[in-house]
Amino acid sequence: MRIAIIGAGLNGLACAIMLKRFGLECTVFERGQGPRDSGTGIYVWPQAMQVLRFVLKNRDFLGRGQPIEFLDTHDKQGRLIHSQPVRPEGLGIPAPAMMFLRTELFRLLAASLEEGDIRYGMGCERLEDLGDQVRVTFGNGQVADFDLLIGADGVSSTVRSFVDPSMIPYDTGLVASRGVVAFRSPLLHADRCQIFTSTHSRVVTYPLNEATSLRYWFAAYQHRNQPLLDRAGLLELFAPLPEELLRMIGVTEEKDILTHKLKALTGEGHWFRGRVVMLGDSIHAMLPTLGYGLTLGLENGFMLAQALVGHCDNSLESALRRYELRAAQRSRDMLKVMRDMTDLYYFEREGEVSKARLTPIVQRFHHLAQSTVF
Ligand SMILES: Cc1cc2nc3c(=O)[nH]c(=O)nc-3n(C[C@H](O)[C@H](O)[C@H](O)COP(=O)(O)OP(=O)(O)OC[C@H]3O[C@@H](n4cnc5c(N)ncnc54)[C@H](O)[C@@H]3O)c2cc1C
């Protein structure tokens, strides 16, 4: 079977390795001219750590990240409101959650592929259903036919408009600024993600490398159709938060701060059409309120690979339907959990973030997270 994956993001790369590990040949086509060499941090839940353990073959990658065992929510003054263990007792989760530099994960995944597996400068522009094949026209004029095409081309996906043009990302009303900086403070701990809530906004921070004191922070707020804030604007908005957090943002170089509006999808609609199927942010871009977007994409990539190697009735459609059945509803439910948690943090009346309000949402999250591919 000739398989094309559109997009060399983390999901496209991981999916290519999974397919190859299952004995299926594939090529990744990326619009960009080369590998990604910038980015900030990314939180990987234990569910995805197990997928990565399979994909990367050994445990060496565990040494490249920082384990995170708790997600703590604080109020404006820095007082602890709620502490959520990443691996609740009794669930027997056999992997830690970890924080990685995105570039590190890209490097690890790309190193598991061979030269020629990824083709850069190949933006997918048009798809055509030929019945027994799908035809791709690339931006450079090249045309190629495949038995299966996987759209892992992110939230602004071109492939999605072929599969289901009715699926359009919505503006979540939020902006996120992200930064990486060497910073230490007694307020900030080595084994946990710390969330500091403010008025319709929050600052979240994780250690990236405790040994080098590298730290990732993430600040999100409602944009209200106003211009996006620079560093000085963030310091003003978050002035009520503990001084140490402001110092952390203040010492981050402006060039190392990445800011953009957050878009998301509901996951509703068709996940495949004919020989074309969707994966990752292209189909379920979600609010990063619990940092689950990549984890969900890796879980779904694993399900897709399983469906493709496991079907015995010689019909690609039945394999893709099986993938959609296993992945779509769970993803929609997870998107809904993320929206509810987002509403609580960013859109409800001030003071609503409490242990009593967070606990039921966190329980729904853990219930869904438990039904993972491992
Ligand atoms: C602020 C923020 C913080 C986040 N934090 C976390 C976190 O801590 N943990 C977590 O799990 N998730 C997090 N996420 C979500 C996570 O980043 C995404 O879920 C994940 O990176 C999606 O990967 P992807 O490969 O599906 O898509 P992308 O990373 O968007 O990759 C898509 C690729 O396709 C390429 N492409 C696009 N169009 C075409 C085309 N027509 N032809 C060829 N190539 C094309 C692009 O160049 C790109 O390389 C966060 C998201 C945001 C916005």
Side-chain angles (χ1 to χ4, degrees), residues 202-221:
R202 24 174 241 179
V203 174
V204 183
T205 178
Y206 303 78
L208 263 171
N209 185 331
E210 186 48 19
T212 61
S213 68
L214 205 62
R215 184 160 274 284
Y216 166 68
W217 60 263
F218 169 99
Y221 57 93

Side-chain angles (χ1 to χ4, degrees), residues 5-13 29-32 34 36 40-45 48 98-100 102 106 119-126 138 151-159 175-178 206 216 218 258 260-263 279-297:
I5 298 176
I6 305 297
L10 292 170
N11 278 316
L13 295 181
F29 296 93
E30 165 60 41
R31 181 171 59 185
R36 294 236 192 124
T40 53
I42 190 151
Y43 183 62
V44 180
W45 283 84
M98 287 193 126
M99 195 65 201
F100 290 92
R102 282 183 187 248
F106 269 106
R119 297 191 51 198
Y120 294 102
M122 299 284 285
C124 160
E125 293 226 320
R126 203 158 59 87
F138 294 97
D153 51 345
V155 67
S156 306
S157 172
T158 302
V159 177
V175 179
S177 290
R178 293 177 270 175
Y206 303 78
Y216 166 68
F218 169 99
L258 202 67
H260 55 88
K261 288 187 181 174
L262 296 177
K263 286 187 175 176
L279 176 69
D281 270 21
S282 66
I283 185 75
H284 57 62
M286 68 165 56
L287 283 152
T289 314
L290 278 179
Y292 205 83
L294 175 64
T295 293
L296 189 62

